[in-house]
Amino acid sequence: MNKLILGILGTFLFAGITFAADLEAVVTESDPGESTGGISLDVTGGVAPFVFDWTGPGGFSSTAEDLTDLEAGTYSVTVTDNYCGIATLEVVVTNGDHTSIKEEMPFEISLYPNPTNGLLNIQSSVPVDIVVYNVVGEIILSAKNATQIDLGNQPRGIYMVQLTSDKGTVTRKVTLQ
């Protein structure tokens, strides 16, 4: 009879043990040089209550389930459930990609066709002054509030078209074929 009770007890304990597959983490990237990352941990197995033991870069430690204000680096968590089931998970917080700058248009514009064979149409939501530069930065053409400019007498290549209004300046690259 003792063996039967022990067997049932063993099965009961096994059913409550937390395994590594029972841990899921959602990571928020950190800003470069900042402590803005985060880890949201979800335990899908085991029996509550759970004990969390986090370690990380620079001697970091925590007993919280979810972490915020993290620098980039590798964090490890050991989760112990009510029946001493143990699961571990390693989570990497990376620096986000902050290399691009989002351009905000001060006004709506459209330059077409691009590439062009010479005639370039300009549509703008506001009146604009137009300046066209060649690849070495020389002004090759300027106009006020034009809806079309002719680059047909210029050599093939890349040109920068700068449109300026009282709302700001927008510059676009145009290819002359």
Coordinates of all heavy atoms in Angstrom, one line a residue, residues 43-81:
V43 N 4.3 32.3 -17.4 CA 4.5 31.0 -17.0 C 3.2 30.2 -17.3 O 2.1 30.5 -16.8 CB 4.8 30.9 -15.5 CG1 5.0 29.4 -15.0 CG2 6.0 31.7 -15.1
T44 N 3.3 29.2 -18.2 CA 2.1 28.5 -18.6 C 2.0 27.1 -18.0 O 1.0 26.4 -18.3 CB 2.1 28.3 -20.2 OG1 3.3 27.6 -20.5 CG2 2.1 29.7 -20.8
G45 N 2.9 26.7 -17.2 CA 2.9 25.4 -16.5 C 3.2 25.5 -15.1 O 3.4 26.6 -14.6
G46 N 3.3 24.4 -14.4 CA 3.6 24.4 -13.0 C 2.4 24.7 -12.1 O 1.3 24.9 -12.6
V47 N 2.7 24.8 -10.8 CA 1.6 25.2 -9.9 C 2.1 26.4 -9.1 O 3.1 26.4 -8.5 CB 1.4 24.0 -8.9 CG1 0.4 24.3 -7.8 CG2 1.0 22.7 -9.7
A48 N 1.2 27.4 -9.1 CA 1.5 28.6 -8.3 C 1.4 28.4 -6.8 O 0.8 27.4 -6.4 CB 0.5 29.7 -8.7
P49 N 2.1 29.2 -6.0 CA 2.8 30.4 -6.4 C 4.2 30.0 -6.9 O 4.8 29.0 -6.7 CB 3.0 31.1 -5.0 CG 2.9 30.0 -4.0 CD 2.1 28.9 -4.6
F50 N 4.8 31.0 -7.7 CA 6.1 30.8 -8.3 C 7.1 31.8 -7.7 O 6.7 32.9 -7.2 CB 6.0 31.2 -9.8 CG 5.0 30.3 -10.6 CD1 3.8 30.8 -10.9 CD2 5.4 29.0 -11.0 CE1 2.9 30.0 -11.6 CE2 4.5 28.2 -11.6 CZ 3.2 28.7 -12.0
V51 N 8.3 31.3 -7.7 CA 9.4 32.2 -7.2 C 10.3 32.5 -8.4 O 10.7 31.5 -9.1 CB 10.2 31.4 -6.1 CG1 11.4 32.3 -5.7 CG2 9.3 31.2 -4.9
F52 N 10.6 33.7 -8.6 CA 11.4 34.2 -9.7 C 12.8 34.6 -9.2 O 12.9 35.4 -8.3 CB 10.7 35.3 -10.5 CG 9.4 34.9 -10.9 CD1 8.2 35.2 -10.2 CD2 9.2 34.3 -12.2 CE1 7.0 34.9 -10.6 CE2 7.9 33.9 -12.6 CZ 6.8 34.2 -11.8
D53 N 13.8 34.2 -9.9 CA 15.2 34.6 -9.5 C 15.9 35.0 -10.8 O 16.4 34.1 -11.6 CB 15.9 33.4 -8.9 CG 17.3 33.8 -8.4 OD1 17.6 35.0 -8.2 OD2 18.1 32.9 -8.2
W54 N 16.0 36.3 -11.1 CA 16.6 36.8 -12.3 C 18.1 37.3 -12.0 O 18.4 37.8 -10.9 CB 15.9 38.1 -12.7 CG 14.6 37.9 -13.4 CD1 13.3 37.9 -12.8 CD2 14.3 37.6 -14.8 NE1 12.4 37.7 -13.7 CE2 13.0 37.5 -14.9 CE3 15.2 37.5 -15.9 CZ2 12.4 37.3 -16.2 CZ3 14.6 37.2 -17.1 CH2 13.2 37.1 -17.2
T55 N 19.0 37.1 -12.9 CA 20.3 37.6 -12.9 C 20.6 38.2 -14.3 O 19.9 37.9 -15.3 CB 21.4 36.6 -12.6 OG1 21.3 35.5 -13.6 CG2 21.2 36.0 -11.2
G56 N 21.5 39.2 -14.3 CA 21.8 39.9 -15.6 C 23.1 40.6 -15.5 O 23.9 40.5 -14.6
P57 N 23.3 41.4 -16.5 CA 24.6 42.2 -16.6 C 24.9 43.1 -15.4 O 23.9 43.6 -14.9 CB 24.5 43.0 -17.9 CG 23.1 42.8 -18.4 CD 22.4 41.8 -17.6
G58 N 26.1 43.2 -15.1 CA 26.5 44.2 -14.1 C 26.0 43.8 -12.7 O 25.8 44.7 -11.9
G59 N 25.8 42.5 -12.4 CA 25.3 42.1 -11.1 C 23.8 42.2 -10.9 O 23.4 42.2 -9.8
F60 N 23.1 42.5 -12.0 CA 21.7 42.7 -11.9 C 21.0 41.4 -11.2 O 21.4 40.3 -11.5 CB 21.1 42.9 -13.3 CG 19.6 42.9 -13.3 CD1 18.9 44.1 -13.0 CD2 18.8 41.8 -13.5 CE1 17.5 44.2 -13.0 CE2 17.4 41.8 -13.4 CZ 16.8 43.0 -13.2
S61 N 20.0 41.7 -10.4 CA 19.2 40.6 -9.8 C 17.8 41.1 -9.5 O 17.7 42.3 -9.2 CB 19.9 39.9 -8.6 OG 19.9 40.9 -7.5
S62 N 16.8 40.2 -9.5 CA 15.5 40.6 -9.2 C 14.7 39.4 -8.9 O 15.0 38.3 -9.4 CB 14.8 41.4 -10.4 OG 13.5 41.7 -10.1
T63 N 13.6 39.6 -8.1 CA 12.7 38.5 -7.8 C 11.3 38.8 -8.4 O 10.3 38.1 -8.1 CB 12.6 38.3 -6.3 OG1 12.1 39.5 -5.7 CG2 13.9 37.8 -5.7
A64 N 11.2 39.8 -9.3 CA 9.9 40.1 -9.9 C 9.7 39.2 -11.1 O 10.6 38.7 -11.7 CB 10.0 41.6 -10.4
E65 N 8.4 39.0 -11.5 CA 8.1 38.2 -12.7 C 8.5 39.0 -13.9 O 9.1 38.4 -14.8 CB 6.6 37.9 -12.7 CG 6.2 37.0 -13.9 CD 4.7 36.6 -13.8 OE1 4.0 36.9 -12.8 OE2 4.3 36.0 -14.8
D66 N 8.1 40.2 -14.0 CA 8.3 41.1 -15.2 C 9.4 42.1 -14.9 O 9.3 42.7 -13.7 CB 7.0 41.7 -15.7 CG 6.0 40.7 -16.1 OD1 6.4 39.6 -16.6 OD2 4.8 40.9 -15.9
L67 N 10.2 42.5 -15.8 CA 11.3 43.4 -15.6 C 11.1 44.6 -16.5 O 10.7 44.5 -17.7 CB 12.6 42.8 -15.8 CG 12.9 41.5 -15.0 CD1 14.3 40.9 -15.5 CD2 12.9 41.7 -13.5
T68 N 11.5 45.8 -16.0 CA 11.5 47.0 -16.8 C 12.8 47.8 -16.5 O 13.6 47.4 -15.6 CB 10.4 48.0 -16.4 OG1 10.4 48.3 -15.0 CG2 9.0 47.3 -16.7
D69 N 13.1 48.8 -17.3 CA 14.3 49.6 -17.1 C 15.6 48.8 -17.2 O 16.5 49.0 -16.4 CB 14.2 50.4 -15.8 CG 13.0 51.3 -15.7 OD1 12.6 51.8 -16.7 OD2 12.4 51.4 -14.5
L70 N 15.6 48.0 -18.2 CA 16.8 47.1 -18.4 C 17.7 47.7 -19.5 O 17.3 48.2 -20.5 CB 16.4 45.7 -18.9 CG 15.4 45.0 -17.9 CD1 15.0 43.6 -18.6 CD2 16.1 44.7 -16.6
E71 N 19.0 47.5 -19.2 CA 20.0 47.8 -20.3 C 20.1 46.6 -21.2 O 19.6 45.5 -20.8 CB 21.4 48.1 -19.7 CG 22.0 47.0 -18.9 CD 23.3 47.4 -18.2 OE1 23.3 48.3 -17.5 OE2 24.3 46.6 -18.4
A72 N 20.7 46.7 -22.3 CA 20.9 45.6 -23.2 C 21.8 44.6 -22.6 O 22.8 44.9 -21.8 CB 21.6 46.1 -24.6
G73 N 21.6 43.3 -22.8 CA 22.4 42.2 -22.3 C 21.6 40.9 -22.1 O 20.4 40.9 -22.5
T74 N 22.2 39.9 -21.6 CA 21.6 38.6 -21.4 C 21.1 38.5 -19.9 O 21.9 38.7 -19.0 CB 22.6 37.5 -21.7 OG1 23.0 37.7 -23.1 CG2 21.9 36.1 -21.6
Y75 N 19.9 38.1 -19.8 CA 19.2 37.9 -18.5 C 18.8 36.5 -18.4 O 18.3 35.9 -19.3 CB 18.0 38.8 -18.3 CG 18.4 40.3 -18.3 CD1 18.7 41.0 -19.5 CD2 18.6 41.0 -17.2 CE1 19.0 42.3 -19.5 CE2 19.0 42.3 -17.2 CZ 19.2 43.0 -18.3 OH 19.6 44.3 -18.3
S76 N 19.0 35.9 -17.2 CA 18.6 34.5 -16.9 C 17.6 34.5 -15.8 O 17.8 35.2 -14.8 CB 19.8 33.6 -16.5 OG 20.7 33.6 -17.6
V77 N 16.6 33.6 -15.9 CA 15.6 33.5 -14.9 C 15.5 32.0 -14.5 O 15.5 31.2 -15.4 CB 14.2 34.1 -15.2 CG1 13.6 33.4 -16.4 CG2 13.3 34.1 -14.0
T78 N 15.4 31.8 -13.2 CA 15.0 30.5 -12.7 C 13.7 30.6 -12.0 O 13.5 31.5 -11.1 CB 16.1 30.0 -11.7 OG1 17.4 29.9 -12.4 CG2 15.7 28.6 -11.2
V79 N 12.7 29.8 -12.5 CA 11.4 29.8 -11.9 C 11.2 28.6 -11.1 O 11.4 27.5 -11.7 CB 10.3 30.0 -13.0 CG1 8.9 30.0 -12.4 CG2 10.6 31.3 -13.8
T80 N 10.8 28.7 -9.9 CA 10.5 27.5 -9.0 C 9.0 27.6 -8.7 O 8.5 28.6 -8.2 CB 11.3 27.6 -7.7 OG1 12.7 27.7 -8.1 CG2 11.1 26.3 -6.9
D81 N 8.3 26.4 -8.9 CA 6.9 26.4 -8.6 C 6.6 25.9 -7.2 O 7.6 25.6 -6.5 CB 6.1 25.6 -9.7 CG 6.2 24.1 -9.6 OD1 6.9 23.6 -8.7 OD2 5.6 23.4 -10.4

